[in-house]
């Protein structure tokens, strides 16, 4: 299949919308990462998303809408707390999981009786959804297991020849995906940290919100053989929990073994160390810049021939929570200083 590269303008929005109406899949920009969209009411179209990405069919997709009014058409009810979140964060990098009313195609929700919905804060995305005139299901537009795309070129690298078109709206802003919040029970839980922070949610709700992924982060170091299938670069990534001295020590250890080492670090640490390939992913003092550059930085190593990547850990305040969640998932192994 020929993949059309469409620059974002009125005419190309129409063309991309035509593809969506014809049950084809189209990649488009959102404020978080690029999505791979298809008509959420068409099982045939949705099947094509799973095929193009190589995504397991039991992982549900987020339904993207262009306005809040549309939301009520696809869910059973909108509980009070969900309403508060909608008013505060939509459009924006938040996905809420609600009870589905069954209107959405079954393969979108992987057979669940719930549906994740979000209204992206990117004009290109909303124009496209509006022009298509239907809800658009969209996972991140990467091959399953790879870092999410934050530019049209990333989508092209992963999916050229597998999808109908890519709508190019330039690089994305937030850089990590939306926060997914389960709103089906009275006690709200974060299923995936993302662009909206836990603190922001708690300020609006005036109550504590549980982040179910925090438990994952406190587990013992992963064993070197354990393979994770998320946000993976091409070679093993070792996440270094510890200070700059410990980082330097680990770096030295792998260099001694004769390995060509790449490092994924803050601007600050990049000034202190020397490795074969140094990729700086923003300032430690400005965690939003790290979120913005994280996936692109992970992809950079693809064109270098390093044997291993060592990654720095970041403060988990604000969007740092999402950054660390992704780095832990990308990691083959987490190295801790000897206790
Ligand atoms: O920022 C984003 O959310 C991007 C852009 C394109 O909108 N999309 C995205 O989609 O990251 P994806 O498919 O890569 O991740 C969707 C996440 C998955 O972790 C999935 O399990 C969860 O949302 N999810 C979707 N529907 C759900 C549901 N009904 N219940 C629980 N989790 C759900
Ligand atoms: Mg994804």
């Amino acid at each position: 299949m020929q993949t059309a590269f469409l620059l974002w303008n009125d005419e190309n929005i129409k063309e991309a919308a035509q593809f969506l109406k014809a049950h084809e899949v189209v990649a488009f920009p959102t404020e978080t990462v690029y999505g791979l969209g298809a008509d959420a009411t068409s099982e045939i179209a949705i099947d094509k998303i799973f095929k193009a990405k190589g995504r397991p069919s039991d992982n549900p997709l987020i339904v993207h809408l262009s306005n809040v009014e549309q939301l009520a058409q696809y869910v059973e009810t909108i509980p009070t707390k969900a309403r508060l979140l909608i008013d505060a964060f939509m459009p924006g990098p938040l996905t809420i999981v609600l009870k589905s009313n069954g209107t959405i195609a079954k393969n979108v929700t992987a057979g669940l009786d719930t549906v994740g919905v979000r209204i992206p804060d990117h004009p290109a995305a909303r124009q496209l959804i509006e022009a298509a005139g239907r809800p658009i299901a969209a996972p991140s537009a990467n091959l399953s297991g790879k870092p999410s795309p934050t530019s049209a070129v990333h989508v092209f690298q992963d999916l050229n020849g597998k999808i109908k078109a890519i709508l190019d709206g330039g690089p994305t802003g937030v850089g990590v995906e939306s926060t997914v919040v389960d709103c089906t029970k009275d006690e709200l839980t974060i299923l995936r940290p993302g662009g909206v922070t836990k603190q922001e949610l708690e300020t609006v709700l005036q109550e504590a919100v549980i982040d179910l992924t925090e438990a994952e982060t406190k587990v013992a170091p992963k064993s070197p053989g354990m393979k994770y299938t998320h946000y993976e670069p091409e070679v093993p990534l070792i996440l270094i929990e510890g200070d700059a001295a410990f980082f330097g020590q680990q770096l030295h250890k792998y260099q001694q073994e004769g390995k060509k080492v790449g490092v994924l670090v803050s601007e600050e640490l990049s000034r202190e160390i020397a490795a074969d390939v140094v990729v700086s992913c923003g300032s430690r003092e400005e965690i939003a810049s790290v979120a913005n550059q994280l996936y692109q930085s992970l992809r950079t190593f693809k064109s270098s021939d390093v044997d291993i990547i060592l990654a720095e850990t970041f403060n988990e305040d604000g969007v740092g929570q999402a950054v660390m969640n992704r780095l832990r998932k990308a990691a083959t192994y987490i190295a801790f200083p000897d206790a």
Side-chain angles (χ1 to χ4, degrees), residues 21 28 80 88 90 118 135 152 225 234 262 294 300 316:
K21 287 185 195 175
F28 62 96
T80 312
M90 291 194 183
R118 110 172 182 86
E234 309 296 311
L294 180 69
T300 306
E316 293 192 50

Side-chain angles (χ1 to χ4, degrees), residues 28 30-36 53 55 58-62 64 93 95 97-98 108-109 112-118 120 138-142 148 176-180 191-192 230-231:
F28 62 96
T30 81
E31 80 280 30
T32 57
V33 300
Y34 272 72
L36 186 59
K53 278 188 61 108
R55 179 173 174 118
D58 61 355
N59 194 1
L61 309 180
I62 295 170
H64 295 61
T95 296
V97 173
L98 295 169
V108 170
T109 58
L112 299 173
D113 62 356
T114 58
V115 59
V117 288
R118 110 172 182 86
S140 48
N142 51 282
S148 297
V176 291
E177 299 87 341
S178 62
T179 303
V180 180
L191 303 178
R192 177 181 71 183
H230 263 97
Y231 316 108

Side-chain angles (χ1 to χ4, degrees), residues 78-158:
I78 302 178
T80 312
K81 287 179 191 172
R83 176 59 66 187
L84 287 174
L85 297 184
I86 291 167
D87 291 345
F89 301 111
M90 291 194 183
L94 177 74
T95 296
I96 55 174
V97 173
L98 295 169
K99 281 259 182 279
S100 162
N101 68 5
T103 315
I104 297 294
K106 280 197 295 292
N107 47 356
V108 170
T109 58
L112 299 173
D113 62 356
T114 58
V115 59
V117 288
R118 110 172 182 86
I119 301 169
D121 190 15
H122 194 301
R126 289 210 306 280
Q127 285 164 12
L128 178 63
I129 298 164
E130 217 154 87
R134 45 208 79 184
I136 300 298
S140 48
N142 51 282
L143 282 175
S144 199
K146 294 294 161 202
S148 297
T150 54
S151 76
V153 169
H154 298 163
V155 179
F156 188 82
Q157 285 167 353
D158 278 15

